[in-house]
Amino acid sequence: MGKDVIIACDFSGKDEVLNFLDRFDKESLFVKIGMELYYAEGPDIVREIKARGHRIFLDLKLHDIPNTVKKAMAVLSRLDIDMCNLHAAGTVPMMEAALEGLTRPDGTRPLLIAVTQLTSTNQERMTSDLMIDRPIDTVVMHYALCAKTAGLDGVVCSPLEAEKVHSVCGKGFLTVTPGVRFEGGDVGDQKRVTTPKRAKELGSDYIVVGRPITAAEDPAKAYRRCVAEFVDQ
Ligand code: C5P
């Protein structure tokens, strides 16, 4: 599986995202569409971006009973997306049902990756609110292993966790990693960040990069810098 840069298109509407994409040459990009844009514009925004030749990571983080997730995944799969995700907290049967729903009649399917614990959840909240009293690292690795057991392709995690995920779940289990900034770049609300170059050294398979590209004066140039550091070198 080749390494790639996924651009987090965290825009609130169609015009904004299409204007942003217009600033790239005829490059085929890997674009992440999140809840905000999807709920604002519906499935048409996926079709429109796909029709421009881009690949899509639909970041909707499904979590419901297995039957509901299976049916929802079948609908998403018909949108011809390339990657989507769910919460591993939905349990192994839910993840297995999701895979079943996602598989198209011809046997192909988008990549399916799991969120383990959200990065907004800390040890204290996990213990007090979720009543999980193991160390958060142990929980993250256990959820990753459950995702692998269910047949999923990988997890979303920090680049700093990529190495450990690979050692627990195997090299072929994908790590999709946000929290990436250029050397000396604005960190914003991200806490633990790494550069594209460091993410590559740590073994990330895909980096998810938002503001360092979307807020750049020249997004295409910032994107090419990510590719140069993460993919080409
Ligand atoms: O702008 P920035 O590069 O921080 O964007 C990172 C993207 O990755 C955002 O869409 C954010 O929601 C997503 N993300 C994250 N941390 C996670 C999971 C997803 O930053 N643990």
Side-chain angles (χ1 to χ4, degrees):
M1 197 76 62
K3 288 189 182 295
D4 222 329
V5 175
I6 301 176
I7 305 177
C9 284
D10 295 320
F11 297 104
S12 54
K14 178 177 161 173
D15 291 348
E16 281 171 276
V17 71
L18 295 184
N19 285 339
F20 169 75
L21 293 173
D22 282 343
R23 300 184 66 185
F24 292 81
D25 293 332
K26 297 258 175 284
E27 289 157 290
S28 165
L29 307 170
F30 206 147
V31 168
K32 179 170 91 78
I33 297 177
M35 289 184 202
E36 184 186 11
L37 187 57
Y38 189 79
Y39 291 149
E41 301 292 347
D44 277 349
I45 193 67
V46 175
R47 294 189 190 99
E48 188 144 359
I49 294 177
K50 191 76 193 175
R52 290 176 167 223
H54 302 307
R55 284 163 296 155
I56 310 268
F57 168 19
L58 193 54
D59 179 14
L60 298 181
K61 301 186 180 73
L62 275 68
H63 186 175
D64 208 315
I65 61 170
N67 187 53
T68 301
V69 170
K70 179 177 169 179
K71 289 182 170 169
M73 285 295 186
V75 175
L76 296 183
S77 179
R78 288 202 290 275
L79 277 176
D80 197 19
I81 53 170
D82 299 277
M83 182 187 283
C84 59
N85 60 2
L86 46 62
H87 277 282
T91 75
V92 169
M94 187 204 77
M95 291 191 270
E96 287 171 342
L99 266 186
E100 240 182 278
L102 210 52
T103 305
R104 304 179 183 111
D106 65 0
T108 63
R109 65 167 175 81
L111 292 170
L112 182 59
I113 59 167
V115 174
T116 55
Q117 285 290 339
L118 290 168
T119 40
S120 52
T121 305
N122 59 18
Q123 182 74 49
E124 193 189 339
R125 282 287 165 195
M126 202 183 66
T127 309
S128 66
D129 298 6
L130 306 182
M131 286 181 82
I132 302 173
D133 53 15
R134 302 278 187 94
I136 194 158
D137 283 10
T138 309
V139 174
V140 166
M141 291 308 149
H142 176 66
Y143 281 29
L145 214 42
C146 286
K148 185 175 159 84
T149 303
L152 267 65
D153 302 295
V155 286
V156 184
C157 65
S158 157
L160 305 164
E161 292 163 352
E163 209 164 7
K164 190 155 183 203
V165 169
H166 283 138
S167 73
V168 172
C169 299
K171 276 263 173 283
F173 194 66
L174 301 174
T175 51
V176 179
T177 66
V180 174
R181 293 292 180 268
F182 293 122
E183 191 76 56
D186 186 3
V187 171
D189 52 359
Q190 295 283 13
K191 299 270 185 287
R192 297 157 72 223
V193 299
T194 41
T195 62
K197 184 167 179 277
R198 183 77 189 121
K200 181 180 186 171
E201 287 162 6
L202 291 167
S204 293
D205 296 290
Y206 293 87
I207 49 172
V208 179
V209 188
R211 288 159 290 181
I213 297 175
T214 56
E217 221 166 275
D218 184 343
K221 189 173 162 199
Y223 170 71
R224 279 195 297 273
R225 183 174 169 192
C226 281
V227 172
E229 279 191 36
F230 185 70
V231 185
D232 295 341
Q233 269 173 26

